[in-house]
Amino acid sequence: MRPSAPRFAALVAVLTASVALAGVFDLPRPAPPDRYGTVLIDREADSGSSKAVVFSHWRHRARHSCRVCHFELGFELQTNATPITEEDNRNGEFCGACHDGKEAFSVRDEARCNECHAGRIRADKAAFSEFAKKLPKAPYGNTIDWVAAGEILDEKYALFKDEKPMDFDKELLLEARWYNISPAVFPHTAHVEILDCANCHPDVFNIKKKTTEHFEMRFILEGAFCGACHLTVAFPLDDCVRCHPGMKER
Ligand code: HEC
Ligand code: HEC
Ligand code: HEC
Ligand code: HEC
Ligand code: HEC
Ligand code: HEC
């Protein structure tokens, strides 16, 4: 079938934008779907007797919101930024909050240390495919549409208190600085269902639209602002249209 005129124009607009962006900035090459969002923690481990620790986001976010770990348990939103020790874990902090032998295998179980201390990024392709095939698809990242999947998975929002997400549905249209680029959308709802306001305000974004300094695509690509999550864990920047919906209309 021949694409209709507006669709064809859209494709050109996206391609032009991608080419322009790829020319000016480098899009990092994303990891394959089963490893996207899997990190290797080797801040302390890997120096003495213990090996580097593998942590997969897809497994964990299926059951718990980002907020549980990145707000309640105090994990930083950056690999190797959190001072985690074996003692902390054994005292029920960090990984030990769940890996207590009840919720998940224990940090004290001598037979299972290496499930975490694997020494390298380990991915279970078969388990990932089994998991992903039941969920709605997206084109990039884990190739899972995590927003739609949230309805099916129903991950726990809070660990300690019976808290509920705040009802805050303000959707923002963030105008780009380039005349030929359609604005980006920022839907609060999709974010506040899994994150705390404090994950973004005031450290990442000011709480007033278009007042955040240096809020530009080139810094986003360096891991600032939207790039704090949309390079490594949430769908990657390759998915222009999901943030710039106008790119498919023009
Ligand atoms: C649920 C995952 C998990 C399990 C299970 C686990 N650890 Fe760890 N461990 C970690 C993480 C995460 C760190 C922090 C690594 C870093 O920052 O480099 C860590 C750090 C360590 C460190 C280095 C920091 C320190 O306190 O000296 C040692 C030693 C260690 N673990 C030993 C063990 C032993 C022994 C076992 C098994 C009895 C074990 N761990 C089981 C996740 C785990
Ligand atoms: C079960 C706990 C847990 C959950 C749930 C979780 N994370 Fe993480 N996340 C971690 C840990 C642990 C690290 C590594 C922190 C460290 O090493 O200091 C991390 C690191 C990150 C990083 C840095 C990645 C990198 O490549 O450096 C980002 C971004 C991130 N998480 C975003 C998220 C988002 C978004 C969600 C929800 C969709 C989420 N996390 C859910 C535990 C979790
Ligand atoms: C909020 C609860 C929670 C926290 C915090 C948590 N885990 Fe887990 N973890 C789980 C649960 C539940 C499972 C079992 C998941 C399943 O069966 O699908 C699991 C499974 C795992 C597995 C085995 C599956 C796999 O991905 O290979 C590893 C390894 C692991 N966790 C590492 C870690 C490390 C390392 C940390 C800390 C940096 C951590 N977890 C923190 C709940 C948690
Ligand atoms: C994932 C990040 C993120 C989370 C989580 C988040 N916000 Fe925002 N918020 C933003 C961004 C981005 C802006 C726009 C900043 C800019 O343009 O400089 C914004 C702007 C705002 C504004 C100003 C809107 C306007 O029209 O000027 C308010 C009010 C706000 N947020 C409240 C909240 C509240 C309340 C929560 C928690 C329920 C929350 N935000 C959670 C990213 C977030
Ligand atoms: C703290 C982490 C974080 C930050 C910062 C962040 N996001 Fe997200 N965003 C997520 C997660 C997690 C999702 C769920 C989808 C996924 O994981 O792929 C999401 C989903 C979205 C969606 C899809 C909504 C839907 O209904 O499908 C859009 C659009 C989006 N983000 C835009 C933005 C923009 C624009 C910014 C910067 C202004 C931003 N995000 C900043 C974590 C973040
Ligand atoms: C996670 C959301 C997100 C994704 C994905 C995304 N962008 Fe953006 N983009 C933004 C935001 C937010 C702005 C507005 C920044 C500002 O205030 O100027 C922007 C602005 C731009 C600008 C204007 C330059 C600037 O700094 O304002 C260009 C060009 C652009 N985007 C191209 C792209 C292209 C091409 C893709 C796909 C390869 C893409 N973007 C993917 C969020 C995103």
Side-chain angles (χ1 to χ4, degrees):
M1 202 177 75
R2 222 177 138 261
S4 63
R7 276 190 181 276
F8 183 67
L11 195 61
V12 172
V14 172
L15 288 180
T16 313
S18 308
V19 169
L21 195 77
V24 183
F25 322 101
D26 278 329
L27 273 181
R29 196 200 300 193
D34 58 326
R35 281 159 202 241
Y36 185 77
T38 299
V39 299
L40 196 66
I41 309 172
D42 57 3
R43 184 182 200 268
E44 293 291 337
D46 221 17
S47 48
S49 53
S50 69
K51 290 184 284 180
V53 172
V54 63
F55 176 83
S56 61
H57 271 92
W58 69 265
R59 267 239 206 233
H60 287 88
R61 64 181 292 187
R63 298 204 190 186
H64 295 92
S65 71
C66 326
R67 181 188 180 276
V68 163
C69 290
H70 291 293
F71 180 73
E72 289 183 286
L73 298 178
F75 285 111
E76 300 289 338
L77 274 168
Q78 201 187 331
T79 302
N80 285 331
T82 320
I84 310 161
T85 64
E86 185 183 11
E87 197 189 343
D88 294 335
N89 276 338
R90 285 174 175 247
N91 288 337
E93 292 178 60
F94 300 118
C95 318
C98 304
H99 287 271
D100 58 357
K102 289 182 228 116
E103 177 101 12
F105 64 89
S106 170
V107 287
R108 293 169 183 264
D109 186 344
E110 299 288 343
R112 303 190 74 171
C113 311
N114 285 351
E115 279 184 47
C116 292
H117 291 277
R120 62 189 169 89
I121 297 256
R122 173 171 44 71
D124 189 341
K125 255 194 170 146
F128 176 78
S129 321
E130 188 56 32
F131 172 76
K133 81 175 187 208
K134 288 174 274 187
L135 300 172
K137 303 273 171 295
Y140 300 99
N142 293 122
T143 61
I144 292 169
D145 179 341
W146 285 105
V147 177
E151 314 261 313
I152 302 165
L153 297 166
D154 197 23
E155 70 278 358
K156 228 187 247 173
Y157 174 74
L159 202 58
F160 299 131
K161 285 195 225 146
D162 186 24
E163 282 177 283
K164 298 258 174 315
M166 203 201 266
D167 206 2
F168 188 72
D169 59 3
K170 187 154 200 173
E171 180 161 309
L172 304 175
L173 218 51
L174 303 168
E175 297 82 9
R177 276 150 225 261
W178 295 11
Y179 77 94
N180 56 342
I181 296 294
S182 67
V185 287
F186 178 79
H188 266 95
T189 305
H191 293 90
V192 302
E193 275 170 0
I194 48 173
L195 288 154
D196 200 273
C197 315
N199 285 124
C200 290
H201 298 302
D203 288 354
V204 186
F205 298 105
N206 288 340
I207 199 148
K208 191 159 186 298
K209 199 187 150 208
K210 293 305 269 190
T211 59
T212 305
E213 274 188 78
H214 310 299
F215 187 7
E216 296 168 42
M217 203 64 203
R218 61 194 169 117
F219 296 116
I220 295 176
L221 276 153
E222 285 172 9
F225 312 117
C226 321
C229 300
H230 287 281
L231 278 168
T232 47
V233 175
F235 67 84
L237 293 172
D238 307 64
D239 203 346
C240 316
V241 174
R242 203 156 169 199
C243 284
H244 297 275
M247 281 188 188
K248 66 176 171 203
E249 306 294 341
R250 294 164 19 147

